[in-house]
Amino acid sequence: MLYGRYASPFVRRVAVTLRFYGLCYRHVPLMPFGPDKAVLAAFNPVARVPALQFGDEMLIDSAAILDHLDQLAGPRALTPAAGAARRRVLTLLAVAHGANEKLVAGLYERHFRAREAWHKPWLDSCDKQVRDGFQWLDAQFAGPWFLGDAMTQADVTVAVFWLFGRAKRPRFFAGLECTKLEALAARLQDTAEFKATVPEPETLASELG
Ligand SMILES: N[C@@H](CCC(=O)N[C@@H](CS)C(=O)NCC(=O)O)C(=O)O
């Protein structure tokens, strides 16, 4: 059972990976806000999504969940098992994850506070981390995939995060001019795995520029 809406990019990267591995799951589209928060808190002390339940176990945090799914997938795992390729993918993922967390932090600040109360230096600092992170990733991409000939979790996660950012802040993301990430995301968006996990209609302020 996968808890969390596909509108969360952290949930979506887990869902896409489950599908790439051919693993069936039941989707429970809980929101980490409003009345669902208490439901999440019953099994996740920090009441966040994603969470993956199997048997009587509950795994939280997308990286921990992907680590488990990779073990199930064995040689088909999207994260290389060892060596330089693994370190490279983990580095790409760390930058993507960091940039996406700062994007989400900026979205929360803009959504939950009245505009007059926005803390501009914090927003500017988040935006710089988002810009620098994605532009660094774009510069790393030689194609056809991040690591060359084989698709890895770096491609999946960056594409999910890029599509999320582009939908949330279209003008800001257009201004990043990350043409290689845009092409990668467009390519993956056409796969069955991405098409089956289209984000639900948004509840947070959606057009933030
Ligand atoms: N590092 C976590 C981040 C998860 C995360 O930020 N989830 C958001 C939804 S996009 C959430 O649950 N937000 C509510 C909250 O933080 O209270 C992961 O990779 O799973």
Side-chain angles (χ1 to χ4, degrees):
M1 210 124 69
L2 174 64
Y3 292 93
R5 290 161 22 113
Y6 300 143
S8 157
F10 302 103
V11 174
R12 193 180 187 199
R13 74 179 187 133
V14 168
V16 166
T17 304
L18 279 161
R19 287 170 182 275
F20 272 124
Y21 292 167
L23 298 168
C24 296
Y25 64 96
R26 240 184 76 207
H27 186 212
V28 186
L30 292 182
M31 297 215 341
F33 304 105
D36 290 354
K37 193 98 181 153
V39 183
L40 284 172
F43 55 79
N44 176 356
V46 287
R48 302 178 96 186
V49 292
L52 185 77
Q53 185 179 18
F54 49 99
D56 53 9
E57 271 189 63
M58 182 69 79
L59 261 180
I60 57 170
D61 197 281
S62 61
I65 297 170
L66 291 181
D67 182 68
H68 171 63
L69 299 183
D70 285 348
Q71 291 187 24
L72 296 180
R76 293 183 306 123
L78 285 168
T79 305
R86 180 174 176 83
R87 292 194 296 278
R88 177 74 175 145
V89 168
L90 292 181
T91 300
L92 293 163
L93 288 174
V95 173
H97 204 93
N100 197 54
E101 296 235 57
K102 303 314 294 219
L103 171 64
V104 171
L107 293 176
Y108 287 174
E109 172 79 5
R110 291 176 174 91
H111 178 77
F112 289 112
R113 282 186 201 272
R115 183 177 282 265
E116 314 76 71
W118 288 358
H119 187 59
K120 187 80 173 41
W122 165 245
L123 286 178
D124 289 347
S125 165
C126 287
D127 281 359
K128 175 169 166 40
Q129 286 164 290
V130 176
R131 182 181 306 108
D132 290 353
F134 279 109
Q135 288 182 340
W136 182 85
L137 288 165
D138 194 66
Q140 301 300 305
F141 191 89
W145 305 104
F146 268 107
L147 258 64
D149 287 339
M151 185 182 83
T152 66
Q153 185 57 239
D155 302 291
V156 170
T157 289
V158 170
V160 168
F161 290 174
W162 179 261
L163 291 168
F164 173 74
R166 214 185 54 172
K168 288 296 186 191
R169 302 191 56 200
R171 286 192 297 282
F172 178 82
F173 270 74
L176 298 185
E177 295 180 352
C178 293
T179 52
K180 290 183 263 177
L181 300 190
E182 177 65 31
L184 169 72
R187 197 146 48 96
L188 278 171
Q189 205 173 12
D190 274 344
T191 61
E193 292 76 8
F194 273 66
K195 282 184 175 161
T197 57
V198 171
E200 302 84 354
E202 197 39 273
T203 46
L204 295 188
S206 52
E207 226 317 335
L208 293 167

